[in-house]
């Protein structure tokens, strides 16, 4: 019997981690319903949930890496990017609220649908939005725009964060690469998210790029073709192909600004995050005061 390769090992470990993480999340969330919590208990409870969310993201990235390196085919279908974008924003809204970051969404009425694997594109959008929150400034903004062309669609995520140096931009999509400013600010990260984005976009026959200016912010954008990009071993019937090429029914124009003003923080009496790019823990923040 041959020994399992790293892809098999990572897949097994990542899948096995999902169950205890989900169980821990459930118990921590139940604490909130076991009785009134004081300020400190509420803070610790929320920090535990944040840590679990980071673990969930890491597991998801390990699974994506294993899938990419296994060269498995895409399971293409009709994908509505409007749904993908709004679902991704909803999933990360709590993270954005914690850093007082506001989402702005603008979707072209001509966006329509494309042929793609929706779960994989959801990972692309989630990774880009997650980075836009993490590397943003407190009270910053994120603009998500999506526009449709006859043969392609383009999605862009722009933030008001620290920016990326021209030297680092050349390697920003390399696996395990961390930008110098992120390392300097001691922002947690694995250097895997953007490499996954690049691999998934290119697997769909698209392109991804970055534009950034230090101290101003960054824009990550990707383009995907409307026409089906078939992976090896996966075919579509002619009727589906014809429908996609002619263009699907377009979505309504959407412009939203999800203001944080009506949303309370975890506890009004808990100290506000320091005005820095880092989401430092309580002890680090106190040391700076």
């Amino acid at each position: 019997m041959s020994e399992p390769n790293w892809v098999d090992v990572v897949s097994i470990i990542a899948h096995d981690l999902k169950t205890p993480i989900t169980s821990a999340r459930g118990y921590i969330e139940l604490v909130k319903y076991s009785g009134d919590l004081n300020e400190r208990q509420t803070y610790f409870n929320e920090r535990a949930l944040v840590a679990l969310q980071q673990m969930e993201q890491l597991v998801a990235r390990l699974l994506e890496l294993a899938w990419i390196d296994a060269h498995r085919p895409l399971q293409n279908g009709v994908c509505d990017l409007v749904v993908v974008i709004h679902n991704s924003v909803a999933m990360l809204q709590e993270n954005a609220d914690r850093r007082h970051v506001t989402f702005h969404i603008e979707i072209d009425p001509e966006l329509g649908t494309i042929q793609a694997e929706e779960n994989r594109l959801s990972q692309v959008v989630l990774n880009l939005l997650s980075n836009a929150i993490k590397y943003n400034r407190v009270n910053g903004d994120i603009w998500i725009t999506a526009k449709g062309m006859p043969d392609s669609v383009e999605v862009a995520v722009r933030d008001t964060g620290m920016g990326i140096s021209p030297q680092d931009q050349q390697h920003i999509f390399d696996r395990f690469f961390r930008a110098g400013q992120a390392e300097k600010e001691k922002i947690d990260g694995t250097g895997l998210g953007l490499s996954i984005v690049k691999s998934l976009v290119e697997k769909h026959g698209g392109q991804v790029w970055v534009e950034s200016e230090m101290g101003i912010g960054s824009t990550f954008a990707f383009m995907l073709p409307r026409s089906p990009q078939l992976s090896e071993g996966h075919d579509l019937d002619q009727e589906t192909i014809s429908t996609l090429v002619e263009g699907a029914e377009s979505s309504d124009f959407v412009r939203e600004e999800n203001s944080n003003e009506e949303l309370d923080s975890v506890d009004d009496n808990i100290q506000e995050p320091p005005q820095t790019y880092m989401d430092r823990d309580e002890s680090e923040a106190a040391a700076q005061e």
Side-chain angles (χ1 to χ4, degrees):
M1 179 183 296
S2 60
E3 293 184 0
N5 57 33
W6 86 267
V7 172
D8 296 329
V9 173
V10 168
S11 296
I12 292 170
I13 293 174
H15 277 292
D16 287 348
L17 282 173
K18 292 174 70 174
T19 299
I21 290 174
T22 302
S23 179
R25 171 181 283 277
Y27 283 117
I28 292 174
E29 289 178 341
L30 283 174
V31 170
K32 295 186 294 185
Y33 303 100
S34 62
D36 294 334
L37 304 178
N38 61 37
E39 295 176 11
R40 194 171 183 80
Q41 290 170 334
T42 299
Y43 177 81
F44 289 154
N45 184 267
E46 293 298 326
R47 295 302 297 179
L49 287 174
V50 169
L52 277 176
Q53 186 177 50
Q54 292 172 341
M55 292 176 66
E56 289 170 339
Q57 292 174 349
L58 179 57
V59 168
R61 288 177 178 179
L62 287 174
L63 288 171
E64 286 293 340
L65 280 178
W67 180 84
I68 290 168
D69 287 353
H71 303 292
R72 299 209 172 98
L74 292 169
Q75 300 299 312
N76 284 331
V78 176
C79 177
D80 189 342
L81 279 172
V82 176
V83 174
V84 169
I85 290 170
H86 281 281
N87 286 347
S88 299
V89 168
M91 290 179 65
L92 294 173
Q93 187 66 62
E94 185 177 348
N95 287 4
D97 293 342
R98 190 176 296 110
R99 303 212 66 210
H100 307 288
V101 171
T102 303
F103 284 123
H104 309 274
I105 306 175
E106 184 174 337
I107 298 179
D108 184 352
E110 301 299 323
L111 183 63
T113 58
I114 63 172
Q115 185 69 13
E117 184 169 340
E118 186 171 311
N119 288 339
R120 305 300 173 188
L121 289 191
S122 293
Q123 286 298 319
V124 169
V125 177
L126 282 170
N127 279 337
L128 293 181
L129 291 181
S130 179
N131 278 357
I133 295 170
K134 181 165 64 173
Y135 297 103
N136 216 323
R137 65 169 187 263
V138 175
N139 297 316
D141 294 278
I142 297 173
W143 288 268
I144 307 107
T145 59
K147 60 182 180 180
M149 285 77 75
D151 299 320
S152 62
V153 296
E154 183 179 311
V155 178
V157 176
R158 178 165 64 93
D159 63 55
T160 54
M162 63 178 67
I164 306 167
S165 70
Q167 295 82 1
D168 286 344
Q169 289 179 42
Q170 301 175 30
H171 305 284
I172 199 67
F173 294 105
D174 294 348
R175 190 173 290 189
F176 300 113
F177 178 80
R178 300 294 313 285
Q181 189 65 19
E183 293 282 0
K184 180 180 178 181
E185 296 285 350
K186 298 181 180 178
I187 299 176
D188 291 336
T190 61
L192 295 175
L194 290 176
S195 68
I196 291 173
V197 166
K198 183 175 186 292
S199 296
L200 293 179
V201 168
E202 291 181 346
K203 197 170 181 69
H204 282 85
Q207 297 176 331
V208 61
W209 62 94
V210 62
E211 298 175 358
S212 185
E213 186 175 349
M214 293 294 293
I216 302 297
S218 303
T219 299
F220 285 87
F222 63 90
M223 179 278 296
L224 297 171
R226 288 192 186 276
S227 300
Q229 300 296 306
L230 300 182
S231 301
E232 183 179 351
H234 185 78
D235 297 315
L236 296 176
D237 58 85
Q238 188 59 45
E239 181 180 354
T240 301
I241 294 176
S242 299
T243 301
L244 290 164
V245 171
E246 291 171 3
E249 182 176 340
S250 63
S251 305
D252 293 332
F253 179 77
V254 180
R255 183 190 295 268
E256 298 183 0
E257 293 191 358
N258 299 327
S259 174
N260 298 303
E261 294 178 358
E262 299 178 357
L263 295 171
D264 295 329
S265 60
V266 174
D267 191 300
D268 290 337
N269 295 320
I270 294 178
Q271 182 181 351
E272 288 293 320
Q275 299 297 311
T276 178
Y277 295 117
M278 295 188 296
D279 185 16
R280 297 185 176 91
D281 61 25
E282 189 177 39
S283 62
E284 291 174 322
Q288 288 189 347
E289 293 181 348

